[in-house]
Amino acid sequence: MNVLAIDTSTSACSAALLRNGQVVAHRLTVMSRGQSEALMPMIKAVLDESGLTVAGLDLLAVTVGPGAFTGLRIGLAAARGFALAAGLPLAGVPTPLAVAAAIPESEREGRTVVVALESRRDDPWVQLFRADLTPLSAVEALSPAALAPRLTGPVLVAGDAAARILAAIPGAVAASSPGWPDAAIVARVGEDLWREGRALPAEPLYLRAPDVTLPGPPS
């Protein structure tokens, strides 16, 4: 099975091709802006390296958030365009799950996993997982101070807002994985969710309204 995955939801931009469970092509660049210019060349490079065209794909996977408002829309628009043009199924992957799944299983064992994603506000986007990646909470905007009373036992923190959580939770440990989603992980998670019928729609998961909105009609 050939799975093309992309991510532009947080502080990186990446694309990867998974063939029968193995990553055969991969591109990732850490960036907070500029994904719209970087993504399509990455996708082309990944397809060229794997010797495929879009017609040779079986599944597309994309992160759906929460994350940066503009970044999410860039990745989702690209994924929807490819899916529509080629008639491919499209698996939406929650961004916190993609971040948690990048942590080695041995590192997660016996710990509550906290994924904290940057929201550019006082309250990062937070979701808790068991060591086996079963969600313990819904994803929500939560300040580090409000999160602290909810946690007991060993805590492992990942995500691009992890430093903010670590500073507020005594004894919490930083995960060794990067703080952003990686399309190579998104591909594996997306394929698993799609096979199990649990993939999300390719719709942006927004937890709050955008900072800038179009004006309404005059009253």
Side-chain angles (χ1 to χ4, degrees):
M1 187 174 194
N2 294 316
V3 183
L4 174 66
I6 59 178
D7 168 72
T8 56
S9 63
T10 63
S11 48
C13 180
S14 60
L17 197 292
L18 190 73
R19 176 179 292 150
N20 299 326
Q22 299 296 318
V23 176
V24 295
H26 180 225
R27 297 289 188 279
L28 185 149
T29 302
V30 178
M31 57 173 64
S32 58
R33 294 179 178 84
Q35 290 97 332
S36 59
E37 293 81 13
L39 180 61
M40 297 309 292
M42 278 188 181
I43 292 173
K44 183 179 186 304
V46 163
L47 290 172
D48 288 348
E49 186 174 322
S50 62
L52 290 175
T53 65
V54 175
L57 299 173
D58 301 297
L59 177 68
L60 294 163
V62 62
T63 43
V64 298
F69 183 85
T70 301
L72 277 177
R73 298 184 71 84
I74 291 167
L76 285 165
R80 287 172 177 169
F82 282 122
L84 181 62
L88 292 169
L90 178 53
V93 176
T95 302
L97 178 58
V99 172
I103 305 169
E105 185 176 354
S106 59
E107 197 172 324
R108 301 192 310 260
E109 187 175 353
R111 290 169 165 155
T112 298
V113 176
V114 177
V115 174
L117 302 175
E118 188 57 63
S119 67
R120 313 294 183 194
R121 298 191 184 183
D122 291 339
D123 46 351
W125 291 303
V126 175
Q127 188 169 18
L128 310 184
F129 296 87
R130 292 194 179 98
D132 64 359
L133 301 182
T134 301
L136 288 169
S137 71
V139 59
E140 58 185 315
L142 197 64
S143 70
L147 172 65
R150 302 188 184 189
L151 299 173
T152 59
V155 174
L156 185 68
V157 187
D160 58 1
R164 297 166 64 182
I165 302 300
L166 290 164
I169 311 296
V173 176
S176 64
S177 57
W180 50 83
D182 186 333
I185 302 297
V186 174
R188 291 193 172 98
V189 174
E191 181 176 355
D192 289 343
L193 293 177
W194 181 74
R195 290 185 185 277
E196 296 165 5
R198 298 191 295 117
L200 297 181
E203 301 287 343
L205 178 58
Y206 295 137
L207 299 185
R208 59 167 65 100
D211 293 330
V212 178
T213 57
L214 294 175
S219 57

